[in-house]
Amino acid sequence: MRKNYEQVWQYVDDHSPALTQLSEQVWDNPELLFEEHLAVTAHTAELRRHGFRITGDVAGMPTAVMGESGDGGPVIAILGEYDALPGLSQKAGATEPAPLTPGGSGHGCGHNLLGAGALLAAVAVRHYLEANGIKGRVRYYGCPAEEGGAAKGFMVRAGVFDDVDIAITWHPGTFTSVIAAESLANTFVDFTFSGRASHASAAPHLGRSALDAAELMNVGVNYMREHMPTDARIHYAYLDAGGIAANVVQASATLRYVVRAAELRDMWSLLRRVRQIAAGAALMTETTVTDKVLSGMSNLVGNTPLEEAMHRNLIRVGPPSFDESDRNFAEGIRKTLTDADIETSFRRVGLAPARALALHDGVIPLECEAASMNGSTDVGDVSWVVPTVWARVATWAIGTQAHTWQATAQGKSSQAHKGMVTAAKAMAGLAAEALLDPSLIANAKADFAKRVGPEGYVCPIPDDVQPPVQRRSDVH
């Protein structure tokens, strides 16, 4: 058994230079949700180089790709991402804010590493299967638009995971551990109010202000916050405030709302209440309101057998081997962070803060009780249809928060590359374990069935909502 692990790890080491280069190429060319044309082209080329059978345009999304290798046996999915974030352009290796392009995009969540690391694991498993004559299939799913686009939800809805036995993924972070299956279901909804324009001074009585309606909606939702579950979240932004002319009664206004809750059913309940508040605001102002769901994500479903197996593999592989140069760079980043940043990192994994530690060089025990500080991820939708597990591996200085310039600055660092390779070894090792031990998959499926219950998965994205994709012919 150990020999087999060392063999699959060796395949990771053999191919890590090329995949590290891929991660840097994606970092150098940050692309936002549904626009990841360079990234998917580069990932597809790497899949083709290793002989994967390739399916493009997955679920009707030009920047989604699936590569499969092997035959018969279980199907192991390894999930990657490669979308960037707006406004996080940053010089690599800098320890102060230094945008490469003012206002430009950047990989502030480490998806350049996530995608390349997941692909590295899939490549290693592909060669491991072939070398040992093992029946089984490994699939790499290149998933776009995790940052608000919910691409995996569209993929799940299209059935592309229907024959998968288990799914594995990872995420860059400040500690190495199994990620607790806690996230918030969410939905993105645009509310558009329509009224009647008029001269704001000469004929204010003739106007019906859509802007007034939008502001009243916000007031109503803010009053509702006292009466929500404590782990629920609601955010909003003005997409259209009607214009800049103050002497005109604004005839249109659009708000974008994000509604989050720990369970899908609670999210739907909150959204119903938000819609009622919008209708009330329209009633008060004699305007009309329409809403459009853009996307949605489900909460994560845990899986104890897979989480225990992932933890075993993280222990077998061991944490990234950081050196003095890595620690010096991490210390430079840490000087830009607050005590609250650092405390938050420790609380996320259930440890007491230790200001002296710049990089984490251990594996967090599985039983640590982490503080609940949850965002949302479309991995949640996959976890509702396939037993799913993911790891967090240290690539950032402790205290680094995702979606910041500090995270972007560390995306091409030696420490990040070491974390990526560690993650690939743990994922490849788990895939090997599942292929060698059929009881692991059987136990994972039994645990999965208990958790999802008889009702199963209900996609939070309405059937008539399609991903807002751009095809290459549309890009100028």
Side-chain angles (χ1 to χ4, degrees):
M1 180 71 76
R2 182 170 176 78
K3 180 179 179 181
N4 284 316
Y5 284 120
E6 291 176 343
Q7 184 184 25
V8 78
W9 296 342
Q10 185 59 55
Y11 287 127
V12 171
D13 287 332
D14 291 346
H15 298 287
S16 62
L19 273 298
T20 297
Q21 184 177 5
L22 174 65
S23 76
E24 295 200 344
Q25 180 183 357
V26 173
W27 190 98
D28 288 337
N29 298 277
E31 299 165 300
L32 301 180
L33 70 171
F34 296 116
E35 298 175 0
E36 311 94 332
H37 296 287
L38 291 172
V40 74
T41 298
H43 280 243
T44 301
E46 195 66 25
L47 287 166
R48 186 171 287 113
R49 188 168 76 87
H50 289 279
F52 282 79
R53 301 182 293 274
I54 295 169
T55 302
D57 208 29
V58 177
M61 294 180 288
T63 57
V65 66
M66 190 270 283
E68 180 183 82
S69 184
D71 62 272
V75 178
I76 312 295
I78 303 180
L79 313 179
E81 300 165 9
Y82 31 64
D83 56 323
L85 285 157
L88 288 177
S89 175
Q90 170 66 25
K91 180 180 178 182
T95 55
E96 61 184 11
L100 290 171
T101 304
S105 304
H107 277 282
C109 210
H111 290 183
N112 63 304
L113 299 162
L114 197 168
L119 181 50
L120 177 55
V123 166
V125 176
R126 177 254 186 277
H127 290 289
Y128 175 78
L129 288 171
E130 183 178 59
N132 292 279
I134 297 172
K135 288 292 184 181
R137 285 168 285 169
V138 60
R139 288 182 186 164
Y140 171 74
Y141 287 85
C143 306
E146 190 275 337
E147 300 291 357
K152 294 185 194 68
F154 291 107
M155 295 166 78
V156 170
R157 193 180 70 180
V160 302
F161 294 100
D162 285 356
D163 62 344
V164 172
D165 289 283
I166 63 171
I168 305 168
T169 190
W170 80 291
H171 202 285
T174 56
F175 288 87
T176 298
S177 67
V178 177
I179 294 183
E182 296 179 351
S183 72
L184 300 180
N186 76 15
T187 186
F188 284 66
V189 186
D190 286 356
F191 291 87
T192 298
F193 292 92
S194 299
R196 183 192 306 159
S198 69
H199 193 295
S201 181
H205 59 291
L206 299 179
R208 299 295 181 267
S209 174
L211 181 58
D212 285 354
E215 293 191 272
L216 284 167
M217 178 183 177
N218 290 338
V219 170
V221 172
N222 284 334
Y223 273 102
M224 188 184 80
R225 293 180 193 276
E226 183 182 357
H227 309 287
M228 299 183 343
T230 57
D231 52 6
R233 303 285 187 271
I234 297 182
H235 328 286
Y236 67 91
Y238 278 92
L239 302 187
D240 173 18
I244 61 172
N247 59 340
V248 174
V249 174
Q250 307 299 349
S252 65
T254 300
L255 294 164
R256 175 163 296 171
Y257 265 78
V258 183
V259 180
R260 306 185 200 241
E263 300 283 347
L264 267 173
R265 61 178 179 271
D266 294 331
M267 185 271 288
W268 290 126
S269 176
L270 283 176
L271 178 59
R272 177 186 59 81
R273 295 171 67 188
V274 169
R275 281 175 164 151
Q276 288 179 327
I277 290 170
L283 182 64
M284 286 187 285
T285 54
E286 292 189 332
T287 60
T288 60
V289 63
T290 58
D291 70 74
K292 179 181 179 182
V293 175
L294 304 177
S295 67
M297 299 179 185
S298 302
N299 54 292
L300 281 163
V301 176
N303 194 280
T304 299
L306 289 184
E307 290 161 7
E308 291 174 349
M310 176 63 84
H311 184 70
R312 284 196 299 272
N313 280 276
L314 288 171
I315 295 295
R316 288 183 182 120
V317 174
S321 299
F322 299 125
D323 59 25
E324 184 178 359
S325 175
D326 299 326
R327 297 182 193 284
N328 288 339
F329 175 48
E331 181 60 37
I333 291 290
R334 193 174 61 163
K335 289 177 180 177
T336 71
L337 305 172
T338 66
D339 289 342
D341 291 328
I342 294 167
E343 180 182 353
T344 296
S345 277
F346 280 98
R347 287 180 59 207
R348 282 198 180 105
V349 294
L351 296 181
R355 178 85 198 189
L357 189 64
L359 283 172
H360 180 237
D361 54 3
V363 177
I364 300 297
L366 196 58
E367 62 273 13
C368 272
E369 295 186 7
S372 180
M373 290 178 281
N374 299 324
S376 303
T377 174
D378 57 7
V379 176
D381 293 273
V382 179
S383 75
W384 273 91
V385 296
V386 180
T388 301
V389 68
W390 60 343
R392 176 192 296 109
V393 178
T395 59
W396 301 331
I398 295 174
T400 302
Q401 304 301 313
H403 298 203
T404 63
W405 70 261
Q406 290 96 334
T408 309
Q410 296 171 81
K412 293 176 73 175
S413 65
S414 168
Q415 69 200 41
H417 297 155
K418 291 173 181 175
M420 185 189 89
V421 171
T422 296
K425 288 183 176 179
M427 290 187 290
L430 174 53
E433 182 175 343
L435 291 163
L436 292 169
D437 181 6
S439 69
L440 174 55
I441 293 177
N443 291 337
K445 287 185 174 182
D447 185 271
F448 169 80
K450 291 178 182 177
R451 291 175 186 261
V452 300
E455 294 183 3
Y457 175 69
V458 178
C459 184
I461 307 172
D463 290 342
D464 62 343
V465 174
Q466 301 301 318
V469 299
Q470 274 192 319
R471 299 192 175 273
R472 294 176 194 275
S473 60
D474 300 330
V475 180
H476 302 288

